[in-house]
């Protein structure tokens, strides 16, 4: 068994992508859609398995465990600090998924020359994240919620967690 040298930020993205794809994926699909090499996908899945965030066969994300990590550890392990003002893709409470719930004069963006908004930069969890979210709205929404947890205040974090639970299919009437 390989040693676990800690999670990497892209591991969260890989797990969220698996959730967005549900049961119909292969490693090469993850690699192509996330713009991450096949070997890095394999390493990511191994790290997540050792951390008990995905099943031993690497097919099923343990959503409850992932949500606990996101809620209690994400902002400590992968903190985000808003930076300079740039053009980019809205994220956190500035993204469309949270825009109707949170009123703020601050705008947060992932840097991108194709972005339509100007705001403080939040560095994405991995370099090709913006490219990946342009092709997957569900992934975009989940990563914007993740950023809200990384930089948000209590109200933003609580709303982001509620919406993530819906994406994870964990909200029961």
């Amino acid at each position: 068994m390989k040693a676990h040298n800690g999670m990497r930020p892209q591991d969260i993205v890989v797990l969220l992508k698996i959730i967005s794809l549900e049961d119909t994926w292969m490693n090469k699909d993850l690699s192509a859609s996330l713009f991450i090499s096949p070997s890095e996908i394999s390493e990511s899945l191994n790290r997540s398995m050792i951390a008990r965030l995905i099943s031993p066969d690497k097919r099923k994300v343990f959503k409850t465990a992932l949500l606990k990590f996101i809620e209690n550890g994400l902002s400590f392990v992968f903190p985000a600090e808003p930076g300079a003002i740039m053009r980019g893709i809205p994220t956190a409470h500035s993204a469309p998924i949270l825009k109707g719930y949170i009123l703020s004069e601050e705008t947060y963006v992932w840097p991108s020359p194709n972005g339509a908004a100007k705001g403080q930069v939040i560095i994405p969890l991995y370099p090709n994240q913006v490219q990946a979210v342009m092709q997957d709205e569900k992934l975009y929404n989940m990563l914007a919620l993740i950023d809200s947890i990384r930089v948000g205040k209590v109200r933003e974090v609580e709303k982001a967690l509620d919406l993530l639970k819906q994406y994870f299919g964990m909200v029961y009437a």
Side-chain angles (χ1 to χ4, degrees):
M1 179 182 250
K2 288 190 172 192
H4 189 275
N5 293 323
M7 298 292 286
R8 294 191 183 160
Q10 68 264 25
D11 298 344
I12 302 304
V13 180
V14 170
L15 294 170
L16 293 176
K17 183 64 177 185
I18 291 170
I19 290 170
S20 87
L21 292 172
E22 297 167 5
D23 295 331
T24 57
W25 61 273
M26 296 189 326
N27 285 16
K28 67 179 184 174
D29 300 327
L30 295 177
S31 175
S33 63
L34 294 175
F35 304 94
I36 296 175
S37 73
S39 62
E40 187 53 44
I41 292 291
S42 181
E43 289 296 318
S44 175
L45 293 172
N46 283 331
R47 287 188 296 268
S48 293
M49 183 196 65
I50 294 167
R52 293 187 292 268
L53 296 175
I54 196 166
S55 62
D57 67 358
K58 302 174 191 159
R59 302 303 301 165
K60 182 180 186 306
V61 175
F62 296 144
K63 295 174 185 173
T64 302
L66 179 58
L67 191 66
K68 281 184 181 180
F69 173 72
I70 289 168
E71 182 175 6
N72 299 307
L74 183 78
S75 62
F76 298 104
V77 179
F78 307 122
E81 194 67 35
I85 304 289
M86 290 180 74
R87 179 162 304 286
I89 310 294
T91 188
H93 65 264
S94 305
I97 189 162
L98 282 170
K99 201 98 168 129
Y101 299 105
I102 308 294
L103 296 175
S104 177
E105 293 182 18
E106 299 169 328
T107 301
Y108 294 142
V109 299
W110 294 315
S112 171
N114 302 326
K118 242 183 166 176
Q120 285 187 282
V121 168
I122 300 292
I123 300 300
L125 289 172
Y126 78 103
N128 292 328
Q129 179 174 310
V130 172
Q131 197 174 357
V133 300
M134 299 301 273
Q135 299 177 9
D136 184 342
E137 184 178 3
K138 192 173 181 182
L139 182 64
Y140 169 55
N141 287 337
M142 287 192 283
L143 286 170
L145 294 171
I146 291 292
D147 277 352
S148 192
I149 293 164
R150 292 171 67 207
V151 299
K153 296 175 182 68
V154 172
R155 204 172 97 233
E156 289 103 345
V157 170
E158 287 176 356
K159 189 61 186 174
L161 286 168
D162 286 344
L163 292 170
L164 262 181
K165 286 177 188 173
Q166 290 177 26
Y167 273 103
F168 286 14
M170 299 173 74
V171 176
Y172 308 103

